[in-house]
Amino acid sequence: MQSSLARAWLLVTLTFTMQLTACGLVRSGAPDLASAGSSSDHGGSETDGPAQAGGSAGTLGGDASLGGNTTSEAGSASLGGGGMGGATGATAGAAGATAGATGATAGGGTGGALAEPAKIVLFDGSKESFDSWIALRNRGANPWKDNGDGTMTVGMMAGDIQSKETFRNVFVHVEYVTPKLPIKGGGQQRGNSGVLLNGSYELQILSLEAFDPQPTDATCGAVFGLIAPLQIACHEEAVWNTYEIEFQAPLCTAANVTTPARFVEVKLNDRVIHRNVDVLQRTVGAGGESCEPRGLQLQDWSTILPVTFRNIWAIRRD
């Protein structure tokens, strides 16, 4: 009796299973398809195995797009779709990856990345670059201190220095640090120097601890004596600062300036402090205006402790 009941139950079970299969409610290999479905949000429908590969490629395209917003869209475009769309996503994702890598190379902020082929190294710590500066007062050898560690420090009472390379319209990158002192105050006697464009227009370098942090035409970042920065952006003492300067030289007819010099954009520590600022005269203490190319100038303003520089380079714009 048990044997007959068992055979009857088996027959009913087999019949019911066949009916479910015919209706598509039971799928062979369901665990594998479930696994594919877990990754399908990156390229295809739950039931399409190839879409998983397409999704993975699309993800790679997106990740590689760190160098630019446009390329990230190319990578992201490969995330959608299913079936054959997954395979298409793989191709688009690979393209996104290539474009993203290109974007990463091209990026790097104002003035171009370190790989910029037009970059002119003015000081990188090498003896050759140290010797590429001259004393402004007598056109002699660089009188500042080569520290032997990739930096140079203002030579106290040695005077300003000027690069042998000359420029008109130019992008300039300069890094500097002001010395640490145990007390605050001291005004213009504390960590004072400057970067002069075309020999006539100074961007102020001054210790943050030398003044109350309100922007004036004498604080760090000022077009000295003429124009206050939009904000105080210099770091505290003993922390490196970075100037990025986009400069247009004046235009002249004969010996007369007809179009003033302009700081198109100046960033200090990646914060904009000047934008499209015309400089209608030379800054206090700087040389007379000229439309001839001149070297980049760094100031010796003999203070309590001198300023140190590193990693100086430029890109000609004309």
Side-chain angles (χ1 to χ4, degrees), residues 37 69 76 87 98 111 137 144 162 167 171 197 206 211 232 239 241-242 255 261 266 281 292 294 302 305 308 311 318:
N69 294 332
S76 298
T98 302
R137 62 174 52 157
W144 287 12
Q162 189 177 71
F167 308 94
F171 170 85
L197 282 298
L206 189 68
F211 54 87
I232 295 294
V239 178
N241 299 267
T242 299
V266 180
Q281 65 188 69
E292 295 299 317
R294 287 176 170 175
S302 296
L305 284 175
T308 295
N311 194 21
D318 52 8

Side-chain angles (χ1 to χ4, degrees), residues 218-289:
T219 54
C220 65
V223 180
F224 184 66
L226 298 177
I227 305 166
L230 296 174
Q231 57 184 316
I232 295 294
C234 52
H235 293 316
E236 63 187 10
E237 290 178 345
V239 178
W240 284 94
N241 299 267
T242 299
Y243 260 129
E244 291 183 311
I245 306 160
E246 193 72 57
F247 173 79
Q248 287 182 354
L251 299 177
C252 299
T253 299
N256 299 315
V257 173
T258 56
T259 302
R262 170 175 286 195
F263 286 107
V264 178
E265 183 177 84
V266 180
K267 289 183 178 180
L268 183 54
N269 300 320
D270 208 33
R271 297 164 66 185
V272 175
I273 58 171
H274 297 288
R275 179 169 283 151
N276 292 327
V277 170
D278 289 341
V279 189
L280 303 181
Q281 65 188 69
R282 69 185 180 95
T283 53
V284 178
E289 295 181 288

Side-chain angles (χ1 to χ4, degrees), residues 54 57-62 71 73-80 85-99:
T59 302
L60 288 174
T71 55
E73 293 172 5
S76 298
S78 67
L79 297 181
T88 303
T91 303
T98 302

Side-chain angles (χ1 to χ4, degrees), residues 27-297:
R27 294 176 294 181
S28 62
D32 292 337
L33 289 173
S35 175
S38 67
S39 298
S40 64
D41 57 345
H42 292 289
S45 68
E46 182 179 330
T47 59
D48 192 349
Q52 182 182 1
S56 298
T59 302
L60 288 174
D63 291 343
S65 66
L66 295 176
N69 294 332
T70 301
T71 55
S72 67
E73 293 172 5
S76 298
S78 67
L79 297 181
M84 292 301 293
T88 303
T91 303
T98 302
T102 302
T105 301
T110 303
L114 295 180
E116 167 64 56
K119 183 177 73 171
I120 300 168
V121 174
L122 299 177
F123 180 71
D124 62 1
S126 65
K127 184 179 187 306
E128 180 183 14
S129 65
F130 181 81
D131 292 342
S132 71
W133 297 78
I134 58 175
L136 187 65
R137 62 174 52 157
N138 61 11
R139 317 304 290 178
N142 187 348
W144 287 12
K145 181 182 178 183
D146 183 350
N147 298 313
D149 60 356
T151 69
M152 66 176 171
T153 299
V154 175
M156 299 290 284
M157 305 301 294
D160 294 6
I161 61 173
Q162 189 177 71
S163 67
K164 292 178 182 178
E165 289 278 354
T166 60
F167 308 94
R168 280 187 44 76
N169 301 335
V170 65
F171 170 85
V172 176
H173 175 103
V174 177
E175 297 176 23
Y176 73 89
V177 66
T178 58
K180 183 69 175 176
L181 290 174
I183 58 173
K184 289 185 179 290
Q188 296 292 309
Q189 299 298 319
R190 189 181 184 117
N192 191 325
S193 183
V195 181
L196 284 84
L197 282 298
N198 214 54
S200 302
Y201 316 103
E202 178 193 346
L203 288 168
Q204 171 77 315
I205 291 174
L206 189 68
S207 167
L208 177 64
E209 281 78 3
F211 54 87
D212 292 330
Q214 298 297 323
T216 72
D217 64 10
T219 54
C220 65
V223 180
F224 184 66
L226 298 177
I227 305 166
L230 296 174
Q231 57 184 316
I232 295 294
C234 52
H235 293 316
E236 63 187 10
E237 290 178 345
V239 178
W240 284 94
N241 299 267
T242 299
Y243 260 129
E244 291 183 311
I245 306 160
E246 193 72 57
F247 173 79
Q248 287 182 354
L251 299 177
C252 299
T253 299
N256 299 315
V257 173
T258 56
T259 302
R262 170 175 286 195
F263 286 107
V264 178
E265 183 177 84
V266 180
K267 289 183 178 180
L268 183 54
N269 300 320
D270 208 33
R271 297 164 66 185
V272 175
I273 58 171
H274 297 288
R275 179 169 283 151
N276 292 327
V277 170
D278 289 341
V279 189
L280 303 181
Q281 65 188 69
R282 69 185 180 95
T283 53
V284 178
E289 295 181 288
S290 172
C291 287
E292 295 299 317
R294 287 176 170 175
L296 183 69
Q297 187 172 325

